[in-house]
Amino acid sequence: MKKMILLTKAIKKKLIDNHNKTRTEGESSSHNAVVHLFNPYGRGDWYLSELDPKTNIAFGVCCITHAEFGDVSMDEIESLKVGPSGIEREYSFPINKHNLGWCMDYAKQHRGYE
């Protein structure tokens, strides 16, 4: 099975733009989530708002057992071996609609994270 492209060019550009804005203005948690990645075979959700293009480290709400704000390596997410397709991107997730606080609450109330 073909592996999904997790970050399209448009998504990656918006994530990097948010990262650059954070570097100049601060307050990364004020950015809205750009993309939702998830493990279709078990636990694991990532609502990402920015990406450092030099390190390929993203920031957002990261959920494995708990929902928490933090950094995650896109290299690691892309290399995870889960099922035949790996980690996937939620196609219907609305880019820039939900702030990270909303994503945190959603993960806890509807996705079962603490």
Side-chain angles (χ1 to χ4, degrees):
M1 180 176 267
K2 188 177 175 185
K3 217 171 180 180
M4 173 184 285
I5 295 172
L6 295 179
L7 303 180
T8 64
K9 288 180 183 178
I11 288 171
K12 192 169 187 174
K13 180 183 181 325
K14 182 61 182 163
L15 289 167
I16 292 169
D17 288 347
N18 284 349
H19 170 75
N20 291 334
K21 198 176 212 181
T22 296
R23 290 185 67 199
T24 57
E25 300 173 17
E27 290 299 318
S28 58
S29 62
S30 67
H31 295 305
N32 287 347
V34 176
V35 65
H36 171 220
L37 306 177
F38 67 98
N39 175 358
Y41 302 97
R43 304 217 14 112
D45 286 272
W46 298 268
Y47 300 87
L48 304 177
S49 64
E50 60 184 87
L51 176 69
D52 182 337
K54 293 179 184 170
T55 62
N56 211 26
I57 301 290
F59 177 83
V61 175
C62 304
C63 312
I64 299 295
T65 58
H66 292 80
E68 58 190 352
F69 295 107
D71 296 326
V72 63
S73 166
M74 287 304 301
D75 295 332
E76 286 184 24
I77 287 179
E78 290 169 352
S79 71
L80 287 173
K81 307 281 190 245
V82 292
S85 61
I87 299 300
E88 296 184 9
R89 173 175 31 93
E90 182 184 342
Y91 287 115
S92 63
F93 187 78
I95 295 174
N96 270 354
K97 181 176 180 182
H98 304 296
N99 66 40
L100 293 181
W102 182 93
C103 295
M104 175 77 75
D105 292 341
Y106 183 83
K108 289 178 178 180
Q109 293 176 12
H110 301 285
R111 306 285 287 181
Y113 296 102
E114 295 179 25

